Amino acid sequence: MDDQLRPNLTLRRLMSEYGFTCEGLAEAVNNETERLSGQPGNCAARLVGYWLSGRTTWPRSRARRSLEAVFGRPADELGFRSPVPGPVGVTVRMPVTATPQEPPVLRRKFVLGLGTLLALPALPESGRLGMNDVARIREAEAYLMQFDRQHGSAQLSAAAGRYVEHVEQAVRHCTCSGRVQTQLHQALGEMCARVGWLAYDCTWHDQARRYWDTALRYALLARDPMLQARIWASLSRQAVDLGHGAEAVTIARAALDVTRGRRDPRLSTLLHTRVALGHAVNGEKGRCGHSLHRAEQSLDGATDDAPPWLMFCGPDEVAAQAALCFYNLGDYPRAAQADQEALALLAPEEFRRNAFATHVSLARNLLAAGEADGALEVGQDALGLVREVRSPRWGEHLARFRDDVLGRAPRGAQEFADHYREATA
């Protein structure tokens, strides 16, 4: 191949990353030209095609400066070859007039919180956002999800909320293509859904609802019904905790309706457990049982291709939600049996927070069923997880269990209370 017609693969890759078509890049270059010089630009898609094909190896100065401003890097880092190369081993950087270059370290900068426990990738404060920035947001959400599964929400919620503010600030002050914008809205919705859940697990119900309302707005902008269903599943679960059974059922059914015929089996399973919980809060035993049965049926079709946030919803989760249903219905022996099934199915090394929650739930169900010795034994196991798992929501349930133990005063009650005080100090 003629060296003069070598395709510019670097520019092609960057255009893909930033979501540019030839027409879109031409428009962005013209916008930068007008901003830098006050004169309209005349870049066209045909010229961009010349850049990509290698027919133009070094753009003319005005177009080159504008192109450098669009991507925030010099032309020799965009795949172009200067007709007057600099000395061997030296990179020639062409300054962009009136536009400070994005510092090279910016995309490797981190937002820090919790000492060294939390390091989330930052977004640029100006310039243009691309698909790599979307990936950074999703990377942060995955990090929060994993940390929550291992250690609970107490250490995360406030820092995660600040990260959402950081991302929203970047989206407001940067430009992007239409395709990237849709992906940003989706990723922001997913992040807000995660932060809402962290706030909910901290029992900050008003704050959780605000984040979920924001997440719903982004889900609508992204036209993503699956994200809407995810948020409604969380709102339904919150309604259960607040004692609003009818609201929990209505919200979960709305999520089932909007995703009918296209949802993942694990999402179907999760939503049917939410319906069951709502019926349990209302004392509707038959309807609760029917919804739990539908949840189990849906889970039969589950695969490992589900979205990462849904992978927690397996047989152990269904058993744990069944236990909560039986607890709300006052059937404590069946609730304890379901919790025991959940613990037997759970992978505690992966879902340590869920293991803590299920231990607490089993302990209170055994105590309510009259099995004080077993309840205290399981309660001690829950205390063994307190130092590494901080879930204020389930921590409150553990505190109430301690109070109930002291109130019933079985053998070992004071010993458990002393251990509780030491473990939670």
Side-chain angles (χ1 to χ4, degrees):
M1 179 181 294
D2 189 331
D3 184 61
Q4 293 299 315
L5 292 179
R6 186 170 61 198
N8 189 333
L9 301 180
T10 300
L11 181 61
R12 187 179 300 278
R13 175 181 58 78
L14 287 169
M15 286 176 62
S16 177
E17 174 187 328
Y18 281 70
F20 279 128
T21 61
C22 288
E23 291 80 2
L25 180 56
E27 181 181 357
V29 168
N30 288 334
N31 289 339
E32 286 297 330
T33 298
E34 186 169 0
R35 185 176 67 84
L36 292 171
S37 66
Q39 300 295 322
N42 60 359
C43 180
R46 186 175 184 180
L47 177 58
V48 176
Y50 289 165
W51 295 342
L52 291 171
S53 69
R55 183 170 176 177
T56 298
T57 60
W58 190 250
R60 293 185 178 181
S61 59
R62 190 168 78 147
R64 186 175 68 251
R65 286 195 295 270
S66 300
L67 186 61
E68 289 173 333
V70 168
F71 289 103
R73 62 193 76 191
D76 59 337
E77 292 183 10
L78 297 175
F80 294 104
R81 290 164 288 152
S82 172
V84 183
V88 176
V90 176
T91 301
V92 178
R93 295 185 178 273
M94 303 298 293
V96 179
T97 306
T99 303
Q101 291 282 340
E102 174 188 323
V105 74
L106 183 57
R107 292 181 181 271
R108 297 191 295 274
K109 187 174 63 178
F110 288 86
V111 174
L112 298 178
L114 311 177
T116 59
L117 291 179
L118 186 63
L120 301 179
L123 269 64
E125 298 170 359
S126 61
R128 194 168 185 91
L129 299 177
M131 293 305 294
N132 277 358
D133 298 300
V134 175
R136 289 183 180 93
I137 301 172
R138 293 206 164 105
E139 176 190 344
E141 200 255 328
Y143 188 98
L144 291 173
M145 176 176 64
Q146 184 62 29
F147 197 99
D148 177 41
R149 287 175 174 177
Q150 290 292 322
H151 303 291
S153 62
Q155 299 168 296
L156 288 177
S157 186
R162 289 194 295 272
Y163 187 73
V164 166
E165 294 175 1
H166 163 72
V167 174
E168 288 184 321
Q169 188 81 352
V171 171
R172 292 189 189 104
H173 290 85
C174 297
T175 60
C176 61
S177 69
R179 182 170 71 91
V180 171
Q181 185 178 61
T182 298
Q183 292 294 313
L184 282 169
H185 287 153
Q186 185 183 57
L188 255 173
E190 293 166 355
M191 175 62 76
C192 288
R194 173 64 51 190
V195 178
W197 182 264
L198 295 174
Y200 159 71
D201 197 47
C202 286
T203 70
W204 301 340
H205 290 295
D206 290 342
Q207 184 173 333
R209 187 176 287 273
R210 285 197 297 272
Y211 277 115
W212 286 330
D213 287 344
T214 301
L216 280 173
R217 184 175 75 246
Y218 286 123
L220 289 171
L221 288 172
R223 298 179 178 86
D224 188 346
M226 299 304 166
L227 177 55
Q228 294 177 49
R230 170 182 174 178
I231 300 158
W232 281 335
S234 297
L235 285 165
S236 178
R237 182 65 182 85
Q238 182 189 48
V240 168
D241 274 12
L242 298 176
H244 306 155
E247 180 182 350
V249 171
T250 300
I251 294 173
R253 283 181 173 165
L256 285 166
D257 288 342
V258 79
T259 56
R260 191 180 305 278
R262 49 181 170 167
R263 59 179 173 267
D264 185 273
R266 291 180 192 266
L267 180 56
S268 296
T269 299
L270 180 64
L271 293 174
H272 283 304
T273 64
R274 298 297 191 250
V275 175
L277 284 169
H279 286 311
V281 169
N282 287 342
E284 298 164 342
K285 184 176 180 181
R287 292 181 176 181
C288 174
H290 176 68
S291 294
L292 285 175
H293 179 62
R294 294 196 67 180
E296 292 172 349
Q297 286 182 316
S298 298
L299 191 60
D300 289 340
T303 68
D304 291 336
D305 295 331
W309 77 270
L310 263 177
M311 291 307 295
F312 78 97
C313 190
D316 55 302
E317 178 67 13
V318 174
Q321 296 306 298
L324 186 55
C325 287
F326 295 137
Y327 172 80
N328 285 321
L329 289 168
D331 191 344
Y332 304 119
R334 288 188 70 187
Q337 181 182 359
D339 274 329
Q340 288 166 338
E341 292 174 3
L343 280 178
L345 294 166
L346 185 65
E349 66 282 353
E350 185 177 357
F351 298 103
R352 193 173 290 128
R353 186 188 65 85
N354 286 3
F356 171 68
T358 307
H359 276 93
V360 174
S361 178
L362 176 57
R364 72 176 181 181
N365 286 326
L366 287 171
L367 186 65
E371 301 181 34
D373 290 344
L376 287 172
E377 182 179 349
V378 176
Q380 293 286 4
D381 292 338
L383 289 177
L385 292 167
V386 162
R387 291 196 182 278
E388 53 184 327
V389 177
R390 295 297 174 91
S391 167
R393 179 166 56 106
W394 283 101
E396 288 185 1
H397 289 301
L398 184 59
R400 284 198 288 270
F401 172 75
R402 184 271 319 270
D403 295 342
D404 290 342
V405 164
L406 288 174
R408 296 177 186 232
R411 183 181 58 186
Q414 190 58 53
E415 180 185 353
F416 175 82
D418 292 342
H419 187 193
Y420 174 89
R421 184 173 60 254
E422 294 170 2
T424 58

